[in-house]
Amino acid sequence: SLTACESSTQEKKESAAPVQESVTYEKAAALWAQTGATHYTMRVEYGAFSPLSGIWEIEVKDSAVIHWTFKNTKDDKRHAESASGMTMEKLLERAKKAGPIQPDKPFKTEVVYDSRNGGVSSIAKVRNPDYKKAVPTDQTFRYAVREVKIIEKKGDAAWKKQ
C-alpha cells in the first residue's frame, strides 16, 4: 500500500506543475478551441521599450475586448487598440505567423504554448543570435499570459435559458 500511495502522490505533483512539453501551434489552437471559451478574462504581462509595458487585465467576449485595466486606468480609450491585440485569438494569430527562424533576419519569434489548456503562454520577438549584422534597438517585445479565467463557454447560454 505504501507503493500505491507514493504513486498517487507523484501523479498529483506532476499534474499540478505546468507541463513543459513541446506543443505545436496546431495542438495548442485545437486545445484552446476545445475549451469553448466565449467569455473570459486574461492577465497579460507586456514587456517592451514602451510606456505600454506592464500588467494588462482584459475581458473578452466573442473574441472582442469589452473591458481592460492598465496602470490604474479602466477602459481608457487611448489603450483600446493595444488591449484589442491581447486576446488569446490574437496571440494565436501572431504565433501562427511566426514561422521558422531565419538566420538572415535580425529577429526571431519565440512562442511557448499552454500544453494543458491550449493557447499561447508567451510570445516574444527577440534578437536572433545567428544574425551577424547590426540590429535595430528597442524593437523586441514579449507577451506573457499570467492567468486565464473562463467565464462562459459555448453552450452555457442555451443551458441558462431553460
Side-chain angles (χ1 to χ4, degrees):
S1 78
L2 185 59
T3 311
C5 182
E6 288 173 3
S7 172
S8 66
T9 304
Q10 190 174 7
E11 286 172 24
K12 285 179 187 169
K13 284 180 188 170
E14 287 174 1
S15 65
V19 183
Q20 295 298 318
E21 68 188 47
S22 177
V23 176
T24 63
Y25 164 81
E26 289 77 14
K27 181 166 183 184
L31 283 169
W32 175 251
Q34 284 173 12
T35 69
T38 57
H39 187 187
Y40 60 93
T41 60
M42 279 178 54
R43 194 170 178 180
V44 179
E45 183 178 348
Y46 176 65
F49 188 73
S50 164
L52 300 175
S53 288
I55 301 289
W56 289 75
E57 294 185 17
I58 62 168
E59 184 175 349
V60 181
K61 187 163 184 143
D62 299 324
S63 302
V65 174
I66 56 172
H67 296 292
W68 61 93
T69 304
F70 175 66
K71 292 188 178 177
N72 300 319
T73 66
K74 183 153 177 66
D75 300 338
D76 186 325
K77 298 292 182 226
R78 294 175 303 163
H79 301 135
E81 188 178 340
S82 297
S84 72
M86 294 187 201
T87 67
M88 187 58 74
E89 294 79 6
K90 292 286 187 186
L91 294 179
L92 280 166
E93 274 179 36
R94 209 179 269 246
K96 187 176 185 178
K97 291 177 187 173
I101 297 166
Q102 299 174 356
D104 62 332
K105 299 288 183 192
F107 298 101
K108 63 181 182 173
T109 303
E110 294 178 341
V111 183
V112 178
Y113 297 104
D114 181 337
S115 62
R116 183 171 295 143
N117 302 307
V120 173
S121 289
S122 67
I123 185 167
K125 177 182 172 184
V126 298
R127 190 181 187 291
N128 182 356
D130 296 333
Y131 187 78
K132 301 304 178 198
K133 298 176 187 169
V135 177
T137 57
D138 304 337
Q139 292 190 12
T140 59
F141 63 80
R142 180 170 189 261
Y143 293 95
V145 177
R146 298 294 179 214
E147 182 179 54
V148 176
K149 289 183 182 173
I150 297 173
I151 298 168
E152 193 169 1
K153 298 178 179 190
K154 289 178 186 155
D156 285 356
W159 181 79
K160 286 178 185 174
K161 288 178 185 173
Q162 293 179 341

